[in-house]
Amino acid sequence: MRDGIRFRSDEFRAAKWGSHVLAPPVLSCVLVLWIWGVASAEPPASDPAPVGNPRAPEMMVLLEQEMAAGLKQRRIEANFSRFRSYAARTLDNTAGRRGSEVTGNCRLSWYDHMMRDPLKAPGEAEQFTRELHQAVVGDHEGLDRALAIARTKMDLDQRPPLTFAPVGSPEAALEAVTIALGGAQLAHNKALAPLSRSEIKQLADGLYPMLTTRPSVGHTVSGRSTGRRLCDLLEKLDRNAVYTAAESLVPLSNPELLKQLAALPEEGNVTVEGATGTITRQIATPAGKIVIGGREKNTYQLDKMQAVNVVIDLGGDDVYYEGSVSLARPLLIVIDLQGDDAYRGTKPGVQGSAVLGISMLLDVAGNDVYDAKNVAQGSCLGGAGILIDYAGNDSYRGVRRVQGQAIGGLGILIDRAGHDRYHAAMWDQGFGGPLGFGLLDDLDGNDRYYTGGLYPDSYPETPGYEGWGQGVGAGLRGVANGGLGMILDGGGDDVYEYDYIAHGGGYWLGVGFARDFGGDDQRLAATSKAFNGSARRERRYQRLGTGFGCHYTLGFCFDDQGDDSYHGTIMSVGYAWDLSVGALCDFAGNDRYEAAGGGTQGNGAQAGLGILFDCQGDDYYRGYGQGRATSSISYHNMPQCGGNFSFVVDYGGEDKYGCGAKNNSYNRRYTSGGFLIDRAINKSDGPETAESGSAETNAGS
Amino acid sequence: MPRKAGILRFLTTTGCLLVLAGPIAPSFGEAPAQPGAPAPATEKGTGSPEATPSESPPGLSPEMAALRDRVRRAVTSYSQQPFNTRDNTAGDLIQVALAFGGRAAVREGSPSGRKINAIGCLCWNYPCAGYRLLQIGEGRLMARIGYGLQQAPSQFLAVLATSGVSADYEMRVGGVSATVAHLVKYEMLDTRSGTDLSLKLIGLSHYLEDEQHWKSRLGEDWSVDRLIQEELARSADAGDCDVTNRLLGLSYAVERRINRKRPVDGRFLDAQTYVRKYHEYALKLQNPNGSWHSRFFAVKGTSRDVAGSLRSTGHILEWLVFSLPEDQLQDPRVVLSVGYLTGLLESRRSRQGPTATSARDIGGTMHALHALSIYDRRVFKPWDPEKPKPETEDTTGQQDAS
């Protein structure tokens, strides 16, 4: 190991709490206190049950303080200030501009806020994902909270919590369905009211082909002026009303209401075109027709039932075909109360999805199969699509814009239990495009996620497939800013496969989040097989993944528990490119960081802040890239842009670094912006101060 | 007993359902009304009840005469917009009917198609941009809500009421013939506590007797009195037309009561007191140019959202000129708002078009025109020179538009 720059101990003695310049020894003490305090921390009784690692918030504070202290110790605070100022100026200069490639349209203020304070952004992201998941865990009241959180982040009006009337009988439950349907219809009408008929027609005709089937690449559209026009029209949509429409349907997710519906008597047999099996009732309301299917098997050709807005099925192994939601039928609710069901569709806007509409699919029990093509399974293009599956081992299969995907609205897929499989090709599994809030939250079970394997990537110099899923917030390059995309997993040993630009990342002024709250998880990166299960035609190669930001964005990946592995090829595992922030934070377990190509493991490049943060456990860092910061920047002017900032911070355990850095050491990685900080935690003997064994070195360089 | 009341009493006591009979001449597909022909029949003398006469107004000043001419030009000009059944939804046509009442005309099939009566078109369930307003379910006639349809519960019934359409006016759905009374019956059954009842209050206070009681589908006991009570207790969104709908509903019930020469007591008195308090409150929030903020009563101040300001000012003035006592109609603040709205409508005339205008802007414009029409009738009409009565009596029931 070469001689490094020793930091001066008197510099740290001057540091104090709350100043963001805590010295390493103080940080070490804080770490010990944190470990001792784990058992005593109890949340307030009125709060929902905590999720994930209870100390995650404190860890994020420590990380922020560690980074601030490092910048101060190296005397590069001014550089970092320039980085912040440069980002702020770029945001200011592009806000509202329509003429340049970077535009201000569809920009979210929370994105803007986090970009201006990048050291605090990981902490905010941790809080957001924790609170969002905590909300989703909590049934209908939790869904209400989740939508309230979404409103906050999507620049919408705040509202008081919904009140849920008790549902004491099957008929009362049916009445609640009628009320929900009426509320959603009225709100949907209001949502479209700011648009003229010709504008609505432009959206209806253009949204799906322009944003889904026509693009040959993942990052933009062909025909940028048309794309921009569509995004402008989505900005005109009354998005408050879109959320109100979705909120109108929240009471339907109340387990008590669903239980009462399941007790509805089978009292008749009516004929409904498009449905087979026993249909016990058909009810007409001003807001649409409600059909109730019996307890035996039914098939529903939903697109032949255009006048029907609600299907309640009491039981049986049912098959649902299509069920597209668009202006022709802007609202559809499907509630299936029992049985192993199959949902099959080829059209856009099916299975709890919508194009300019509002849709909800609730499947209460059974092992279900969801098979669709595009814009499906909790997805929307202008509107809201919600799919909640309450139980069973389920399979979700789609191609593009599926499984918690949103542009111009809400796309939510919640699976509450079971071992589930998610399979998709592009823009999926918690993806937020312009003005979109896309969420996939699987609460429990050993799950398998796959995105990619079908469309060759758009980088000519590297092999692979487009991915664009698993917690990605992405704009359309040269067209519009991105939204928020989240993938959250509550527990179980999960496996994630993903191709390019996937898993907790932002692209083009969007923000993405991936978080797994428990279990031993494998993030395999590049898909092992092609989309259809055959051998890949492209060599296994993954670019931009696992806590990354690319082009004016922020991306975060969190893992709360378990022994996890992180794979990848290049530009991943806490990576930032082009005025971005990318962070991967693992809060516990013996973890392996296997991604070892260029730009991996806490790297910032082209004026970026890349972070890899690991707490506890004996961890292995393969390769040489940990915390590497180069001086090479060609996208922005130096010194105005501040430089590159790279952090690997590891607290506790016996860790091994491919770059040669030692346990309990403090290392400079290439330039002064490169940090590899390893600190020990010793419960019984108190802190092993970083000072004692942390003379700064130039590890591996 | 008036015919309408008789029909309703029959309906409510027998729970009469529609007779699902075959087509009744004229067959569906015929024009609901020819241009100039009286489409909706009216019950004479029981049209919309606003304008409680008191003392004769003072003579019109030259300024007011000039304002009258501008108001009438604006209303006439907008009444000739080429709204049509190809490009405009049923929801748009409900707004047109609100503004121009029984005389509202739209074009059939295209902007150059033949003129048909807007209310007739809706009552005969013509497809409007593909959307049909009415449906029959379980033997009952109901007006649908949602995109392209009613924007609020009971909106169509309220427009029928304010247009003075009689309860026995024919409605057709497919091969089924019914009347407005059947729609009234459904709205009675579909009354639900804790919901927005403002427009239902307008419709039912118009078509029902004040003492009438009924049971809803859910078994709740209802009356106009209870509708008022629920509306008084309801919290409306102060930042949207919800707040003016609520005030208009309460005002309508009170004015209807007065129009029937019944004492304003009990809930009606509560409503009247409440509305009068709100008059002053609303005028305090008025801007110096006569407008209100686009967020209605939620924000005081001007807004750069001109369309939003037209919408809020139109809704607020509509309620004010409907409910203010006659001696306050020429209050300078009211006159200022009338002038503001007229000017805004004049300046935006060229921007209007059946497909180039949003449903929100069409609604805002039509409520503004309705406000001006009410103002014209209450303030300017009494000073019009007497005209010889035409040989054919106008039976459209139109009372709002000039």
Side-chain angles (χ1 to χ4, degrees):
Chain A
M1 188 184 298
R2 297 179 192 174
D3 289 336
I5 300 171
R6 285 181 169 273
F7 54 74
R8 298 178 310 174
S9 57
D10 58 345
E11 189 176 321
F12 293 110
R13 278 195 287 273
K16 59 183 180 180
W17 276 106
S19 65
H20 297 270
V21 287
L22 279 176
V26 178
L27 278 166
S28 296
C29 293
V30 171
L31 286 174
V32 172
L33 290 171
W34 155 64
I35 291 292
W36 287 339
V38 169
S40 62
E42 289 292 335
S46 58
D47 282 357
V51 293
N53 192 312
R55 309 314 294 187
E58 288 98 314
M59 294 182 210
M60 298 311 293
V61 172
L62 289 175
L63 171 65
E64 180 193 340
Q65 291 170 344
E66 182 76 82
M67 292 190 292
L71 296 170
K72 182 179 174 64
Q73 177 255 321
R74 295 247 178 104
R75 300 174 183 276
I76 54 171
E77 286 174 302
N79 297 15
F80 196 78
S81 291
R82 279 199 295 277
F83 173 64
R84 287 184 60 180
S85 304
Y86 186 79
R89 263 200 318 279
T90 304
L91 293 171
D92 290 340
N93 292 341
T94 55
R97 282 181 63 184
R98 303 286 163 139
S100 69
E101 189 179 29
V102 181
T103 62
N105 56 333
C106 302
R107 186 172 295 174
L108 299 175
S109 58
W110 189 43
Y111 152 81
D112 185 286
H113 158 77
M114 285 200 292
M115 281 292 287
R116 290 169 194 267
D117 201 349
L119 288 188
K120 284 197 184 303
E124 289 200 31
E126 186 282 326
Q127 180 185 1
F128 165 67
T129 48
R130 175 169 35 84
E131 291 180 350
L132 183 62
H133 181 68
Q134 198 168 22
V136 171
V137 166
D139 279 332
H140 54 297
E141 290 174 340
L143 182 58
D144 176 39
R145 279 199 301 279
L147 294 183
I149 291 170
R151 276 181 175 268
T152 309
K153 302 305 182 191
M154 300 301 291
D155 296 332
L156 299 174
D157 297 342
Q158 300 309 295
R159 56 157 179 84
L162 300 175
T163 53
F164 298 95
V167 185
S169 69
E171 286 304 316
L174 205 50
E175 185 63 19
V177 173
T178 307
I179 292 170
L181 176 62
Q185 286 278 27
L186 292 171
H188 172 260
N189 189 351
K190 194 176 177 190
L192 294 180
L195 297 160
S196 71
R197 286 275 298 160
S198 59
E199 290 171 333
I200 291 169
K201 189 171 184 320
Q202 284 178 56
L203 284 174
D205 293 346
L207 275 178
Y208 176 61
M210 197 70 195
L211 301 179
T212 308
T213 55
R214 207 171 293 164
S216 56
V217 294
H219 64 275
T220 190
V221 295
S222 44
R224 291 187 181 190
S225 60
T226 307
R228 204 171 282 193
R229 168 70 178 154
L230 291 177
C231 290
D232 289 347
L233 292 178
L234 287 175
E235 281 187 307
K236 275 185 84 174
L237 199 69
D238 183 344
R239 291 188 299 119
N240 273 303
V242 168
Y243 276 63
T244 303
E247 286 150 6
S248 301
L249 304 183
V250 169
L252 305 184
S253 65
N254 179 354
E256 181 55 32
L257 180 142
L258 296 169
K259 191 175 151 192
Q260 292 292 352
L261 283 181
L264 277 169
E266 288 184 86
E267 59 188 16
N269 191 355
V270 298
T271 301
V272 174
E273 188 185 355
T276 65
T278 304
I279 302 298
T280 67
R281 282 169 81 179
Q282 179 172 240
I283 304 161
T285 78
K289 287 183 178 158
I290 301 170
V291 161
I292 302 173
R295 293 189 169 79
E296 299 302 316
K297 175 178 179 174
N298 296 90
T299 61
Y300 300 95
Q301 301 272 357
L302 293 169
D303 279 1
K304 291 182 181 171
M305 303 164 65
Q306 285 291 323
V308 174
N309 295 96
V310 181
V311 175
I312 300 169
D313 187 276
L314 302 177
D317 300 339
D318 308 304
V319 184
Y320 297 82
Y321 294 99
E322 304 299 348
S324 49
V325 174
S326 64
L327 277 187
R329 175 180 45 194
L331 203 150
L332 180 63
I333 301 164
V334 174
I335 303 174
D336 189 286
L337 296 157
Q338 268 295 342
D340 299 335
D341 307 304
Y343 299 85
R344 306 195 186 286
T346 57
K347 296 180 182 170
V350 299
Q351 300 168 14
S353 300
V355 179
L356 286 185
I358 309 295
S359 180
M360 177 178 257
L361 196 170
L362 304 175
D363 190 289
V364 179
N367 302 322
D368 307 305
V369 174
Y370 301 85
D371 199 344
K373 200 171 176 187
N374 301 324
V375 191
Q377 299 159 9
S379 174
C380 81
L381 297 175
I386 300 175
L387 164 54
I388 304 177
D389 189 289
Y390 287 75
N393 302 327
D394 309 305
S395 165
Y396 302 85
R397 194 176 173 91
V399 183
R400 285 174 292 193
R401 299 210 182 280
V402 294
Q403 299 163 13
Q405 185 281 153
I407 289 181
L410 274 168
I412 296 178
L413 167 53
I414 297 170
D415 188 290
R416 302 190 70 86
H419 308 307
D420 308 303
R421 296 177 73 91
Y422 301 86
H423 197 89
M426 188 154 69
W427 305 311
D428 49 64
Q429 297 170 13
F431 180 90
L435 300 177
F437 185 91
L439 168 66
L440 165 56
D441 196 344
D442 186 294
L443 271 52
D444 203 5
N446 303 327
D447 308 305
R448 188 158 189 122
Y449 302 87
Y450 175 108
T451 179
L454 185 59
Y455 301 102
D457 78 88
S458 59
Y459 294 98
E461 69 276 18
T462 52
Y465 296 101
E466 299 277 32
W468 298 91
Q470 299 181 10
V472 170
L476 298 165
R477 185 164 182 161
V479 175
N481 290 215
L484 307 181
M486 292 71 59
I487 185 171
L488 308 174
D489 186 287
D493 301 334
D494 307 305
V495 178
Y496 300 88
E497 294 180 60
Y498 43 94
D499 285 315
Y500 279 36
I501 309 178
H503 204 87
Y507 181 91
W508 205 259
L509 299 96
V511 194
F513 311 83
R515 185 161 184 172
D516 193 300
F517 290 87
D520 301 334
D521 307 307
Q522 299 174 61
R523 290 170 177 86
L524 300 179
T527 55
S528 53
K529 291 183 177 176
F531 180 79
N532 63 4
S534 65
R536 283 171 61 108
R537 291 183 181 176
E538 299 272 322
R539 179 161 64 89
R540 275 197 82 191
Y541 200 96
Q542 201 275 342
R543 178 171 178 162
L544 292 165
T546 329
F548 69 96
C550 181
H551 303 309
Y552 315 96
T553 60
L554 308 99
F556 306 94
C557 178
F558 301 101
D559 191 290
D560 288 65
Q561 306 281 2
D563 301 336
D564 310 304
S565 65
Y566 299 89
H567 299 260
T569 315
I570 61 168
M571 305 167 90
S572 65
V573 188
Y575 180 76
W577 175 263
D578 186 16
L579 208 56
S580 294
V581 178
L584 165 59
C585 305
D586 187 296
F587 300 126
N590 303 323
D591 307 307
R592 294 182 67 88
Y593 298 94
E594 300 278 1
T600 54
Q601 301 187 25
N603 278 204
Q606 299 292 355
L609 170 61
I611 303 165
L612 170 53
F613 178 43
D614 185 287
C615 291
Q616 298 185 291
D618 302 331
D619 309 307
Y620 170 70
Y621 298 80
R622 182 166 169 257
Y624 194 73
Q626 298 86 32
R628 184 171 178 263
T630 70
S631 58
S632 165
I633 294 178
S634 56
Y635 282 27
H636 306 282
N637 293 328
M638 278 292 280
Q640 294 90 330
C641 72
N644 291 322
F645 303 92
S646 304
F647 286 89
V648 169
V649 179
D650 187 300
Y651 291 157
E654 292 293 322
D655 308 306
K656 292 179 179 167
Y657 297 93
C659 68
K662 302 293 185 194
N663 236 10
N664 192 22
S665 67
Y666 200 106
N667 306 275
R668 172 185 166 125
R669 299 287 288 140
Y670 290 76
T671 67
S672 59
F675 295 82
L676 196 170
I677 306 166
D678 186 290
R679 296 189 186 284
I681 302 171
N682 188 325
K683 286 186 203 174
S684 55
D685 301 332
E688 285 180 14
T689 66
E691 195 174 22
S692 61
S694 67
E696 188 167 41
T697 64
N698 280 341
S701 50
Chain B
M1 180 190 301
R3 186 180 175 196
K4 179 186 71 176
I7 291 169
L8 289 173
R9 192 140 303 168
F10 171 74
L11 285 169
T12 50
T13 52
T14 62
C16 175
L17 302 180
L18 294 180
V19 179
L20 297 172
I24 298 171
S27 64
F28 189 74
E30 287 185 15
Q34 296 300 317
T42 185
E43 184 183 4
K44 293 187 183 70
T46 57
S48 65
E50 75 278 327
T52 309
S54 56
E55 296 171 14
S56 296
L60 289 179
S61 65
E63 293 79 16
M64 287 297 282
L67 180 61
R68 173 197 61 200
D69 295 344
R70 284 179 60 208
V71 164
R72 289 180 177 176
R73 272 198 302 274
V75 172
T76 303
S77 163
Y78 276 86
S79 71
Q80 292 162 0
Q81 292 265 358
F83 286 99
N84 65 85
T85 58
R86 184 192 68 191
D87 301 320
N88 292 105
T89 65
D92 294 343
L93 266 53
I94 290 174
Q95 299 287 3
V96 173
L98 167 80
F100 305 111
R103 287 183 184 167
V106 296
R107 302 280 181 171
E108 187 184 16
S110 75
S112 56
R114 69 180 176 133
K115 270 188 180 175
I116 57 175
N117 183 276
I119 287 178
C121 173
L122 292 167
C123 285
W124 282 27
N125 212 24
Y126 270 33
C128 303
Y131 294 87
R132 292 184 193 269
L133 176 64
L134 306 172
Q135 69 176 10
I136 288 178
E138 297 162 64
R140 297 195 177 99
L141 175 79
M142 61 189 83
R144 301 164 64 201
I145 60 172
Y147 175 70
L149 304 163
Q150 291 186 108
Q151 295 173 1
S154 314
Q155 185 189 21
F156 186 49
L157 187 69
V159 167
L160 293 175
T162 56
S163 301
V165 176
S166 68
D168 57 1
Y169 183 70
E170 187 179 17
M171 302 181 91
R172 292 186 176 194
V173 183
V176 178
S177 178
T179 65
V180 169
H182 291 93
L183 182 62
V184 172
K185 173 67 182 168
Y186 182 80
E187 294 288 352
M188 293 161 71
L189 283 171
D190 196 38
T191 310
R192 191 183 288 121
S193 181
T195 61
D196 174 4
L197 298 168
S198 57
L199 300 182
K200 195 182 289 280
L201 178 55
I202 293 176
L204 295 187
S205 66
H206 182 91
Y207 288 107
L208 302 183
E209 300 295 336
D210 292 344
E211 294 75 19
Q212 196 163 336
H213 285 69
W214 70 93
K215 270 201 188 303
S216 73
R217 193 164 44 80
L218 300 174
E220 295 175 336
D221 290 314
W222 284 95
S223 62
V224 170
D225 192 82
R226 183 174 171 194
L227 287 175
I228 294 172
Q229 180 188 355
E230 292 255 343
E231 276 298 287
L232 281 170
R234 185 169 70 89
S235 171
D237 179 358
D240 204 356
C241 62
D242 189 24
V243 70
T244 46
N245 283 351
R246 177 163 167 267
L247 291 165
L248 195 60
L250 293 168
S251 304
Y252 197 95
V254 171
E255 292 302 325
R256 187 73 178 157
R257 180 84 168 178
I258 295 168
N259 199 250
R260 285 172 171 155
K261 304 195 187 318
R262 304 290 306 278
V264 178
D265 53 9
R267 299 278 179 225
F268 292 93
L269 183 59
D270 293 344
Q272 187 181 56
T273 306
Y274 184 85
V275 165
R276 285 186 175 169
K277 279 182 184 168
Y278 237 104
H279 284 152
E280 263 317 299
Y281 177 68
L283 288 168
K284 275 182 189 166
L285 293 175
Q286 186 192 39
N287 293 316
N289 67 355
S291 73
W292 277 267
H293 193 274
S294 58
R295 296 270 293 139
F296 287 68
F297 299 149
V299 178
K300 179 176 168 59
T302 54
S303 158
R304 278 186 282 181
D305 175 7
V306 177
S309 184
L310 171 69
R311 181 166 173 267
S312 60
T313 306
H315 275 88
I316 293 167
L317 190 67
E318 178 188 35
W319 159 66
L320 279 174
V321 298
F322 174 86
S323 59
L324 280 170
E326 202 146 336
D327 58 3
Q328 290 182 35
L329 287 172
Q330 293 194 51
D331 180 304
R333 295 171 296 179
V334 177
V335 174
L336 189 65
S337 287
V338 172
Y340 171 83
L341 268 190
T342 307
L344 213 51
L345 288 168
E346 287 167 345
S347 68
R348 294 173 64 83
R349 170 75 178 84
S350 60
R351 296 186 209 169
Q352 303 292 313
T355 60
T357 312
S358 69
R360 181 169 289 177
D361 286 353
I362 288 173
T365 302
M366 293 303 153
H367 278 275
L369 289 164
H370 191 213
L372 296 187
S373 295
I374 295 170
Y375 194 76
D376 181 30
R377 197 194 60 256
R378 293 193 67 189
V379 176
F380 300 139
K381 275 273 169 62
W383 294 97
D384 284 353
E386 285 281 335
K387 286 183 183 172
K389 284 193 172 180
E391 287 182 15
T392 308
E393 191 179 356
D394 180 2
T395 57
T396 60
Q398 164 62 20
Q399 300 202 6
D400 293 345
S402 57

